[in-house]
Amino acid sequence: MRATCLRVATLFLIGVAQPLFPSKTLAADLLSGFSETRLASGLNPTAMVMAPDGRILIAEKNGKVRIFRNDSLVTIPMLSIAVDDFNERGLEGIVLDPSFEQNGYLYVYYTVPNNAHFNRLSRFQINGDLAIPGSETVLFEMDPLAAGIHNGGAMQFGNDGKLYVATGDGAYGAYAGDLVKTHGKVLRLNPDGTIPEDNPFYTQTTGKYRAIYARGLRNPFTMTKDPVTGRLFVNDVGREDWEEVNEILPGAHYGWQNIEGKRTSQPMPVAYQDPFYTYSHVMGCAVVGGSFYQPAQGQFPQEYVGKYFFGDYCNGSIRVLNPDNGQFVKVFATGINRLLLLLTGPDGSLYYIARGGLGDGSDQDNTGSNEGSLWKINYTGSGAPHVSVQPQPVLVPLGETTRFVIQASGAAPLQNQWEVNGLEVAGATHPAFDFPAVGIEDDGSLVRCRVWNDLGADTSQAAILSVTTNRRPVPRISLPLEFSTYAGGDTLHFEGSATDPESGPLPDSALTWKIDFYHEAHAHPGLMPVSGISSGTFVVPRVGELSEKVWYLVSLTATDPEGLKQTAYLDIKPRISTFRVETNPTGIPVNIDGLNVITPWEGTGVEGMERTIEPVATVEQPEGRLIFRNWENAGRETLRTYVLPGGVSKVEAWYSPLLYANGTGLTGSYYSNNWNNPLPDTGPVFRRIDSQISFDWGESSPDPIQISGNEFMVVWEGSILPYESEEVTFYTLADDGCQLYLDDQLVIDDWAPHRPTEREGKIHLEGGQKHSIRLVYFEYIGGAQIALSWSGERFSRELIPQSQLFPGVSDSSASLVMRPIYPSPADDFISVWFVAPAAQTLTWQLLGPSGRVVDRQRLQVTEGESLHFFDLRGYASGIYQVVVQDAQGKIYFQKIRKN
């Protein structure tokens, strides 16, 4: 009963009774033996947690944290903070400190208001049912948002005591894999907001980006921990085809924006991890909610213990997954009105929150209006009926028809019989009962429903029917005008009034405005309900939903002195633009707002909206490789943000051939020593020129006769010529360890024995200029593998080709001498004598017992003898290794024991 989505119209809700406590939430269809009870309604939910004392804390989008305890919703919020709740922004996540009973710490994730457009992690201290005023401590702030959607905000404390925070890509998928963006990640923090030094990217990044723990996520809506094993699962909402349940692992890349669902033929990013479980959009469209059923006190049958419960927002189901093998077990519940959240209580009950509908005459909406509800599922072992949703009292004008509704669970078939004042109503045998044309004599009637099956019966509470001779108020929208249209960035002016048939014009305090943004069959909040004004403005965002099948619904609700309501609606359609994306030459892949297409491509969208266009940096064609150069009449950055003008427009990317150099490779010096011993003064076993660095020697070695398969080293050195001036990312794949230097700058430091592991590092290189390069590799027992790749702002990842590598090694007949370290074992200090053929700069490294670098510095030595002291205070006892490189790249090792 609202304006049709394909035209502009104003209409009014008439002849519909308004409940005193309205709710449109729907009960679930449960498996036999389970029953549910609605605990609370009227919520605007985004997250929930359970306190150790059994209180359930519910985060609401508008910045409030509500408490459910003692079977009721506490009126006064525990916490109220100012938030930006445009679209999907707002208070997105809450979590309690593991020591909440002692310190009272509550962590919240919310969007900062006043056009700041970024998400913040803060900590508040709770005393009883209220937050202590002024107790907010800001712990961490995310990067600015590109749009109003995909905010993330799910949080969990791991069994390691660290705080894990999931962030969305902000509607820009390219950020998800970027190590200098907080978007599309799982972050790992200490409880005080500092960053653990053992985070997987700590040494590769700087500042707040050291908090990145995993990446490649789109919209990680919920995160759940198995309280027994500590495993973390994230439910990541997909886009086109697939929904994902991901197990979060350190350093893992989950593929977005180029991979959705399990990987098929797409390029594999570094440390890629397939989803733990996926399902297609045939089964749903948004994976939400998640809870491991590991209660302190079991209630459900044993088959459910240890299983993972998760839901889908669109089809309203709860499903069961086996976390041991990733196999789907069964559908547990269906028919939930926009399932959002799941939680397992210590008593074995399963709680869920349903988001519900808009509540203004449409059951197809998904907005920020207060239609959310909290439910509890228990195991009864019986299929006897249980009334889950009670009928609600209503206030009805004389002559209108009103509806009472109950919902019940139990074994089918269920039978219903409605009663009015204790008398059965003929034919009223359905869960919904329409009370026709109420008269004044019906005022005060008690309406209830009896439900039964072969296993038992239950009777609902009685609802009061209140009848009034008052008539509903009449709201009118004067602005926007009918047939108005909009573009991204426009300011919409709204204005209206209302008249009460009994008392005349109503004051502004009787008016409530709301603007919802629709996309086909669902909606997002635009302007949240605001009361007490007759006019205002709303700025249409330039970012968000990209389809042209969208519109805004303006609603004005009037409430008369007796509490009767009526709402007027107005649809506003967008102005549509057409734009073409071309390349010169044609036939090149381009990513447009996350979708891969081939040029030339033509599409439509809403005028004024921002679109992201990103052609591939390089493309292989029969005549050779082409590289992106620039946009027609625009810049050289591959990624382009394009605001759609009116009418028809075009953007074009220009490519040119990539010019190769004439390099022959790098000089490789092969040593028979392992990483524990210094290289002999006599030099390597042999040298050769390697055209590319890509070797997998398995259990063998480069020369099984001269070099042991378990203990050898290789130093490749020479120079490298980049294609052009840009930031270049280098990648190493090593089993065991390696270090990469460019222009004597350490770019990748992976000096420890391990299985095949990828590492990456970035450095700016000047085009047309050779840069020195040195790659040092060691093998220590087991497989031997090393590869060196690169990628740039305008070319995709590849093994560094021979054409860009040039040999060169500095050799000297006079070598540095590092005399034995004294004392060993050592206490607080050690001394090292060097004998150098000439003054030079040495690189000193101290490797801890685990093989990680714990100290690194440059040393200046003079010609002849020089003595240097090193402070070991603060280091734990154990075996350490000193690694020194001289100016010619030769490496020296010695072991020491620290007492």
Side-chain angles (χ1 to χ4, degrees):
M1 296 187 67
R2 63 160 179 81
T4 176
C5 65
L6 298 180
R7 63 182 179 87
V8 179
T10 303
L11 58 88
F12 307 99
L13 288 178
I14 59 176
V16 177
Q18 298 297 310
L20 294 178
F21 304 98
S23 177
K24 297 199 174 188
T25 51
L26 301 175
D29 296 321
L30 302 172
L31 295 176
S32 179
F34 293 88
S35 67
E36 65 175 356
T37 303
R38 187 177 63 189
L39 304 178
S41 59
L43 300 170
N44 184 13
T46 54
M48 69 170 168
V49 294
M50 179 173 281
D53 60 6
R55 290 177 296 172
I56 296 178
L57 309 185
I58 301 170
E60 295 195 300
K61 190 172 178 294
N62 57 7
K64 293 180 173 58
V65 177
R66 307 289 301 277
I67 305 172
F68 179 84
R69 61 170 168 80
N70 299 330
D71 297 325
S72 64
L73 195 64
V74 177
T75 303
I76 301 175
M78 171 180 278
L79 175 66
S80 294
I81 55 178
V83 300
D84 172 3
D85 62 355
F86 166 74
N87 210 326
E88 293 179 5
R89 299 172 185 159
L91 175 56
E92 302 292 338
I94 55 174
V95 69
L96 299 178
D97 192 281
S99 301
F100 177 75
E101 290 176 292
Q102 288 74 44
N103 58 32
Y105 287 158
L106 169 70
Y107 297 78
V108 301
Y109 180 106
Y110 67 95
T111 311
V112 176
N114 301 322
N115 298 317
H117 299 333
F118 64 86
N119 291 314
R120 171 183 288 166
L121 171 67
S122 285
R123 186 183 68 202
F124 289 83
Q125 192 166 27
I126 306 302
N127 182 19
D129 282 350
L130 295 174
I132 298 174
S135 65
E136 180 176 12
T137 300
V138 177
L139 301 181
F140 196 90
E141 292 184 338
M142 319 301 158
D143 289 334
L145 297 167
I149 59 176
H150 301 184
N151 287 280
M155 296 186 289
Q156 286 287 339
F157 271 94
N159 283 1
D160 57 2
K162 308 301 182 184
L163 177 58
Y164 293 79
V165 182
T167 67
D169 68 4
Y172 182 48
Y175 287 165
D178 198 329
L179 288 176
V180 292
K181 295 291 181 183
T182 58
H183 304 297
K185 308 295 191 300
V186 170
L187 310 177
R188 180 173 178 261
L189 302 164
N190 293 315
D192 62 359
T194 59
I195 300 174
E197 294 185 5
D198 61 346
N199 274 3
F201 302 106
Y202 191 89
T203 60
Q204 299 180 43
T205 54
T206 60
K208 63 183 177 182
Y209 304 111
R210 288 176 161 175
I212 296 173
Y213 186 77
R215 53 179 167 163
L217 299 168
R218 180 178 182 267
N219 189 14
F221 190 76
T222 53
M223 177 161 51
T224 311
K225 181 184 74 171
D226 185 331
V228 175
T229 66
R231 297 167 73 187
L232 289 173
F233 278 17
V234 159
N235 290 348
D236 194 15
V237 179
R239 177 175 179 170
E240 294 298 321
D241 301 306
W242 296 97
E243 299 300 302
E244 300 180 0
V245 176
N246 290 293
E247 181 176 3
I248 299 304
L249 303 173
H253 192 312
Y254 295 92
W256 183 252
Q257 69 176 353
N258 294 319
I259 302 174
E260 180 182 283
K262 293 186 182 293
R263 176 179 172 269
T264 53
S265 60
Q266 305 96 326
M268 182 184 297
V270 174
Y272 173 71
Q273 180 69 37
D274 253 344
F276 183 78
Y277 175 77
T278 66
Y279 65 91
S280 77
H281 282 185
V282 174
M283 299 171 59
C285 78
V287 60
V288 294
S291 182
F292 288 92
Y293 192 78
Q294 297 277 24
Q297 176 181 340
Q299 182 189 126
F300 288 10
Q302 183 62 33
E303 65 177 297
Y304 294 102
V305 176
K307 300 302 189 292
Y308 181 66
F309 286 71
F310 68 98
D312 187 271
Y313 178 84
C314 302
N315 71 6
S317 66
I318 299 175
R319 300 171 188 171
V320 183
L321 183 68
N322 188 336
D324 295 332
N325 55 22
Q327 296 298 309
F328 174 77
V329 177
K330 66 172 63 176
V331 176
F332 179 77
T334 58
I336 301 173
N337 192 4
R338 293 167 180 79
L339 175 72
L340 205 65
L341 306 163
L342 289 169
L343 183 153
T344 300
D347 65 347
S349 299
L350 183 67
Y351 296 82
Y352 74 85
I353 282 183
R355 181 72 172 173
L358 185 63
D360 284 333
S362 170
D363 289 323
Q364 286 74 47
D365 308 327
N366 163 33
T367 73
S369 56
N370 299 324
E371 287 296 323
S373 54
L374 172 66
W375 302 73
K376 180 170 72 172
I377 299 176
N378 290 109
Y379 180 68
T380 64
S382 167
H386 173 74
V387 177
S388 304
V389 178
Q390 303 291 338
Q392 298 297 304
V394 292
L395 174 65
V396 190
L398 187 66
E400 285 191 0
T401 294
T402 187
R403 171 170 286 191
F404 294 89
V405 177
I406 64 103
Q407 292 186 33
S409 58
L414 292 177
Q415 300 186 65
N416 306 274
Q417 178 61 62
W418 287 90
E419 300 174 355
V420 176
N421 297 325
L423 299 176
E424 293 184 356
V425 179
T429 58
H430 300 281
F433 164 48
D434 289 332
F435 197 120
V438 299
I440 198 65
E441 68 278 5
D442 298 316
D443 185 39
S445 295
L446 298 179
V447 181
R448 66 180 184 180
C449 186
R450 185 165 56 92
V451 185
W452 72 93
N453 62 11
D454 293 339
L455 301 174
D458 193 17
T459 301
S460 75
Q461 299 171 3
I464 300 176
L465 169 60
S466 300
V467 181
T468 178
T469 58
N470 195 7
R471 290 171 292 171
R472 296 187 184 279
V474 180
R476 292 183 176 86
I477 298 175
S478 52
L479 285 179
L481 299 174
E482 289 194 54
F483 307 107
S484 296
T485 59
Y486 74 89
D490 282 356
T491 298
L492 298 182
H493 296 265
F494 56 88
E495 184 175 332
S497 60
T499 302
D500 182 40
E502 286 76 29
S503 60
L506 290 174
D508 291 353
S509 59
L511 305 179
T512 299
W513 292 91
K514 187 154 60 65
I515 299 177
D516 295 301
F517 173 69
Y518 277 79
H519 171 221
E520 295 184 342
H522 67 273
H524 299 280
L527 176 70
M528 291 297 291
V530 56
S531 300
I533 59 174
S534 61
S535 64
T537 59
F538 169 74
V539 178
V540 177
R542 292 190 179 276
V543 294
E545 178 57 55
L546 302 174
S547 170
E548 71 272 17
K549 298 178 181 179
V550 294
W551 72 96
Y552 280 94
L553 177 66
V554 180
S555 63
L556 173 61
T557 300
T559 306
D560 72 8
E562 194 173 356
L564 288 176
K565 299 176 184 290
Q566 188 153 238
T567 303
Y569 296 96
L570 180 72
D571 282 343
I572 308 176
K573 293 171 59 178
R575 298 193 293 275
I576 307 302
S577 296
T578 299
F579 71 110
R580 289 179 57 85
V581 178
E582 299 180 355
T583 57
N584 185 3
T586 61
I588 291 178
V590 176
N591 186 285
I592 301 175
D593 304 308
L595 294 178
N596 294 317
V597 302
I598 302 296
T599 61
W601 176 89
E602 182 173 289
T604 56
V606 176
E607 177 186 331
M609 294 294 290
E610 290 184 358
R611 310 299 292 261
T612 57
I613 306 171
E614 186 174 19
V616 295
T618 58
V619 59
E620 299 290 344
Q621 292 200 338
E623 60 272 20
R625 175 179 293 186
L626 299 178
I627 186 169
F628 171 82
R629 289 300 176 187
N630 61 272
W631 296 94
E632 180 185 19
N633 303 321
R636 300 186 64 197
E637 293 297 325
T638 310
L639 177 65
R640 181 175 180 182
T641 299
Y642 182 66
V643 178
L644 290 188
V648 179
S649 60
K650 183 194 76 169
V651 293
E652 184 174 7
W654 289 358
Y655 285 76
S656 61
L658 184 64
L659 301 178
Y660 288 93
N662 57 354
T664 57
L666 295 178
T667 301
S669 300
Y670 289 77
Y671 298 85
S672 61
N673 301 74
N674 68 23
W675 70 318
N676 294 293
N677 299 316
L679 301 179
D681 292 341
T682 55
V685 175
F686 63 86
R687 284 195 175 102
R688 71 185 188 194
I689 295 178
D690 292 320
S691 59
Q692 284 185 307
I693 311 304
S694 180
F695 299 100
D696 186 351
W697 292 294
E699 301 291 329
S700 185
S701 78
D703 187 333
I705 296 177
Q706 302 183 73
I707 296 177
S708 166
N710 285 329
E711 300 181 353
F712 66 88
M713 295 183 63
V714 187
V715 180
W716 287 279
E717 48 197 329
S719 57
I720 186 170
L721 183 66
Y723 296 128
E724 55 185 77
S725 299
E726 61 181 348
E727 184 178 61
V728 179
T729 302
F730 288 86
Y731 310 86
T732 57
L733 173 61
D735 175 1
D736 290 280
C738 66
Q739 289 180 324
L740 176 67
Y741 294 84
L742 273 299
D743 292 334
D744 293 324
Q745 177 179 335
L746 183 60
V747 176
I748 295 177
D749 186 8
D750 186 25
W751 199 257
H754 49 61
R755 293 180 298 176
T757 303
E758 284 195 319
R759 295 284 187 258
E760 64 181 66
K762 297 182 179 182
I763 186 173
H764 183 86
L765 299 179
E766 291 296 324
Q769 173 182 327
K770 292 182 179 179
H771 298 262
S772 67
I773 182 172
R774 183 168 71 253
L775 174 64
V776 186
Y777 164 76
F778 76 82
E779 155 58 17
Y780 182 69
I781 303 176
Q785 183 177 0
I786 180 67
L788 180 62
S789 307
W790 67 353
S791 68
E793 299 170 5
R794 296 177 180 82
F795 68 94
S796 304
R797 179 176 172 177
E798 63 179 3
L799 285 172
I800 302 178
Q802 171 184 334
S803 62
Q804 310 306 120
L805 298 174
F806 300 85
V809 57
S810 301
D811 198 6
S812 173
S813 58
S815 300
L816 178 80
V817 175
M818 183 172 72
R819 291 178 174 171
I821 296 173
Y822 180 83
S824 183
D827 292 315
D828 295 334
F829 296 91
I830 57 173
S831 59
V832 184
W833 281 92
F834 294 100
V835 181
Q840 57 185 286
T841 299
L842 309 180
T843 300
W844 154 282
Q845 295 185 104
L846 182 66
L847 280 62
S850 67
R852 293 175 62 92
V853 175
V854 297
D855 185 30
R856 179 187 294 114
Q857 52 186 287
R858 294 295 184 94
L859 303 179
Q860 299 293 329
V861 297
T862 60
E863 182 179 356
E865 294 189 352
S866 58
L867 178 63
H868 296 263
F869 294 91
F870 300 91
D871 188 351
L872 299 185
R873 290 177 298 181
Y875 293 116
S877 301
I879 301 297
Y880 290 77
Q881 299 180 63
V882 172
V883 183
V884 174
Q885 281 188 320
D886 65 14
Q888 283 71 45
K890 185 177 290 187
I891 302 175
Y892 306 81
F893 292 82
Q894 285 194 40
K895 283 185 179 180
I896 60 169
R897 177 183 294 277
K898 169 74 166 60
N899 289 328

